[in-house]
Amino acid sequence: MDLSEGIFDNEKEFYNLAAEYFYNISADEYETIQFDRIVSKSISILLDHDFIPTPCVEIRLELCKDEKKIANYFLYVNENKEFIDEFLY
């Protein structure tokens, strides 16, 4: 499958997958972050990276409180939507 075609056809599915992974991480990692909503921000194809296997899909969610961005959550998956890595900051 063409990686970009798969994203275009399944955008909501990718955002839902990222939210699912976010809520499955240890609560210790995000319990100190006071947020009231998660915003689906972007989906990108990562072609080159120092330590993340590429090509892959990068899905970014923003954690917001009172309309301000508090943190970002990044999920990296391969073309089969299999987990590669994640970052919260």
Side-chain angles (χ1 to χ4, degrees), residues 75-86:
L75 175 67
Y76 298 90
V77 296
N78 66 17
E79 64 184 29
N80 298 318
K81 299 180 189 136
E82 298 168 333
F83 178 86
I84 294 176
D85 209 343
E86 63 187 347

Side-chain angles (χ1 to χ4, degrees), residues 33 61-64 68-73 88-89:
I33 302 171
L61 304 176
E62 283 186 352
L63 308 178
C64 298
K68 292 183 182 179
K69 180 179 78 168
I70 303 300
N72 287 303
Y73 173 74
L88 174 64
Y89 75 91

Side-chain angles (χ1 to χ4, degrees), residues 2-5 7 43-48 54-58:
D2 179 359
L3 198 54
S4 62
E5 181 181 307
I7 294 169
I43 301 174
S44 306
I45 298 173
L46 193 60
L47 297 176
D48 184 35
T54 56
C56 68
V57 178
E58 175 189 81

Side-chain angles (χ1 to χ4, degrees), residues 6-19:
I7 294 169
F8 184 74
D9 293 341
N10 300 297
E11 178 182 348
K12 287 183 182 182
E13 189 176 328
F14 277 97
Y15 284 127
N16 290 339
L17 180 66

Side-chain angles (χ1 to χ4, degrees), residues 30-60:
Y30 69 84
E31 69 182 4
T32 59
I33 302 171
Q34 300 296 315
F35 66 96
D36 55 19
R37 68 187 183 109
I38 296 177
V39 178
S40 300
K41 203 59 181 177
S42 67
I43 301 174
S44 306
I45 298 173
L46 193 60
L47 297 176
D48 184 35
H49 198 278
D50 289 342
F51 58 89
I52 295 175
T54 56
C56 68
V57 178
E58 175 189 81
I59 309 158
R60 180 168 68 115

